[in-house]
Amino acid sequence: MKLNDTTKAALYLFPALLIVGTFVIYPIIKSFLMSFYADYDFFTDVVHRYGFDNFVYLWNDTVFHKALQNTFVFVLGVVPISIIISLWIALMLNSINALNKFFRTIYFIPFVTSVVAVSIVWRWIFHSNYGIMNYFLGFFGIEPIQWLASTEWAMPSLIILAIWKGLGYNIIIFLAGLQTIGDTYYNAARIDGAKRWSRFIHVTLPQLAPTTFFISIISIINSFKVFDEIYALFDGKAGPSNSALTVVYYVFNKFYGEWDFGVASAAAYVLFAIIFIFTLLQFYISKKKITY
């Protein structure tokens, strides 16, 4: 029997669709249903009652409120600073020819390095007694800081690590965007008497707007999903007194620590709703402010 093109395509795609359906689509649907499990027996996989109890629990849970607060603090601390620093470094790399590829590689290495390996190094850097961070601060007369053992400094430590690790990716994307800006714009600005700062404000930034928009979306989504850095930096904990607890870590703890699958699923979809709203806002702003 001769098969038509549609049937052949379906047969070729079936193995991939089977894997995607089993490990992606089914877990999404199952976790969404689990968020409404009000009375669930894990051992028998029987749901005795559906409802909004898990969402009500999150509304009243002070630990979840703290996780939300810490997550927003992390996003606000990482995203703008990371974009500004990576843009500054990209501008410098774009203006040099010698050793350009070497410096690109150096900056990109942290991004592709294992989070565990990076966190081990930073745990040594942040060590209260022997860390190199406190060693350099000592030159300015600053007393040793309890970076990882203090509720006050745990989140700044995490933010510093996240910024450092994500710089390489942002720099590469910014460099790609800078290289698409033609010299014609800069030459016209020079003829009009524009100084370097004016050229940056009126030529570079507007031309980089689509690139900056892309990086901001990716950075915000990744920052809201932070987990690996916390787990590795604080040795499987969420910092002293949950000072570095984020929503994803809260979901992990509820799911794997307390086996409270309904609450964990509900928290995951609350996080999804937050990210979705922020993404929609960014797309709305991009339509008003960004010209491609």
Side-chain angles (χ1 to χ4, degrees), residues 118-137 145 147-148 157 160-161 164 233:
V118 168
S119 298
I120 291 174
V121 174
W122 277 93
R123 284 173 64 182
W124 171 75
I125 293 175
F126 286 134
H127 196 280
S128 303
N129 298 322
Y130 310 108
I132 194 172
M133 185 73 79
N134 283 338
Y135 175 77
F136 283 117
L137 291 177
I145 297 174
W147 291 99
L148 303 180
S157 303
I160 292 172
L161 168 60
W164 177 84
L233 187 62

Side-chain angles (χ1 to χ4, degrees), residues 36-50:
F36 296 99
Y37 287 179
D39 188 3
Y40 173 63
D41 189 343
F42 168 75
F43 296 100
T44 59
D45 194 26
V46 175
V47 183
H48 300 286
R49 184 168 61 88
Y50 290 89

Side-chain angles (χ1 to χ4, degrees), residues 183-226:
D183 293 334
T184 306
Y185 301 104
Y186 292 110
N187 293 333
R190 290 189 184 95
I191 293 173
D192 291 337
K195 302 298 181 181
R196 178 175 296 181
W197 178 252
S198 296
R199 294 197 300 270
F200 173 73
I201 294 296
H202 298 290
V203 177
T204 305
L205 284 183
Q207 293 293 319
L208 273 182
T211 305
T212 307
F213 171 67
F214 170 77
I215 291 177
S216 64
I217 287 182
I218 298 300
S219 298
I220 288 177
I221 292 175
N222 289 336
S223 296
F224 270 113
K225 297 191 303 179
V226 62

Side-chain angles (χ1 to χ4, degrees), residues 5 45 70 83 103 112 154 205 215 241 271 286:
D5 293 340
D45 194 26
N70 288 342
I83 290 177
F103 285 115
V112 296
L205 284 183
I215 291 177
S241 301
L271 179 61
S286 71

Side-chain angles (χ1 to χ4, degrees), residues 5-257:
D5 293 340
T6 303
T7 305
K8 289 181 180 179
L11 291 174
Y12 280 122
L13 291 173
F14 178 75
L17 293 176
L18 180 63
I19 294 174
V20 172
T22 303
F23 296 102
V24 178
I25 297 176
Y26 172 74
I28 290 175
I29 297 173
K30 182 67 174 179
S31 62
F32 179 75
L33 295 176
M34 287 178 67
S35 65
F36 296 99
Y37 287 179
D39 188 3
Y40 173 63
D41 189 343
F42 168 75
F43 296 100
T44 59
D45 194 26
V46 175
V47 183
H48 300 286
R49 184 168 61 88
Y50 290 89
F52 293 92
D53 294 21
N54 297 321
F55 294 96
V56 173
Y57 176 87
L58 293 177
W59 181 265
N60 298 313
D61 187 13
T62 56
V63 179
F64 181 70
H65 297 167
K66 186 172 185 178
L68 270 178
Q69 179 183 347
N70 288 342
T71 303
F72 278 102
V73 169
F74 180 83
V75 172
L76 292 174
V78 170
V79 175
I81 297 176
S82 177
I83 290 177
I84 292 172
I85 295 177
S86 57
L87 176 57
W88 175 58
I89 296 175
L91 288 169
M92 290 193 299
L93 290 177
N94 194 54
S95 63
I96 63 175
N97 294 320
L99 300 178
N100 187 288
K101 294 183 180 179
F102 171 76
F103 285 115
R104 291 187 193 185
T105 304
I106 293 298
Y107 282 113
F108 195 70
I109 285 176
F111 180 76
V112 296
T113 305
S114 167
V115 175
V116 176
V118 168
S119 298
I120 291 174
V121 174
W122 277 93
R123 284 173 64 182
W124 171 75
I125 293 175
F126 286 134
H127 196 280
S128 303
N129 298 322
Y130 310 108
I132 194 172
M133 185 73 79
N134 283 338
Y135 175 77
F136 283 117
L137 291 177
F139 290 125
F140 301 96
I142 301 176
E143 294 295 326
I145 297 174
Q146 304 292 321
W147 291 99
L148 303 180
S150 169
T151 56
E152 181 181 0
W153 289 100
M155 182 57 70
S157 303
L158 180 63
I159 291 174
I160 292 172
L161 168 60
I163 291 174
W164 177 84
K165 192 176 189 308
L167 279 180
Y169 178 80
N170 294 346
I171 290 171
I172 295 299
I173 301 299
F174 270 129
L175 277 172
L178 287 169
Q179 291 172 4
T180 61
I181 304 176
D183 293 334
T184 306
Y185 301 104
Y186 292 110
N187 293 333
R190 290 189 184 95
I191 293 173
D192 291 337
K195 302 298 181 181
R196 178 175 296 181
W197 178 252
S198 296
R199 294 197 300 270
F200 173 73
I201 294 296
H202 298 290
V203 177
T204 305
L205 284 183
Q207 293 293 319
L208 273 182
T211 305
T212 307
F213 171 67
F214 170 77
I215 291 177
S216 64
I217 287 182
I218 298 300
S219 298
I220 288 177
I221 292 175
N222 289 336
S223 296
F224 270 113
K225 297 191 303 179
V226 62
F227 171 78
D228 297 355
E229 291 87 346
I230 302 172
Y231 192 88
L233 187 62
F234 296 101
D235 197 20
K237 301 177 182 177
S241 301
N242 284 336
S243 54
L245 179 69
T246 59
V247 176
V248 175
Y249 200 98
Y250 178 90
V251 172
F252 166 80
N253 189 49
K254 283 293 181 181
F255 199 96
Y256 292 101

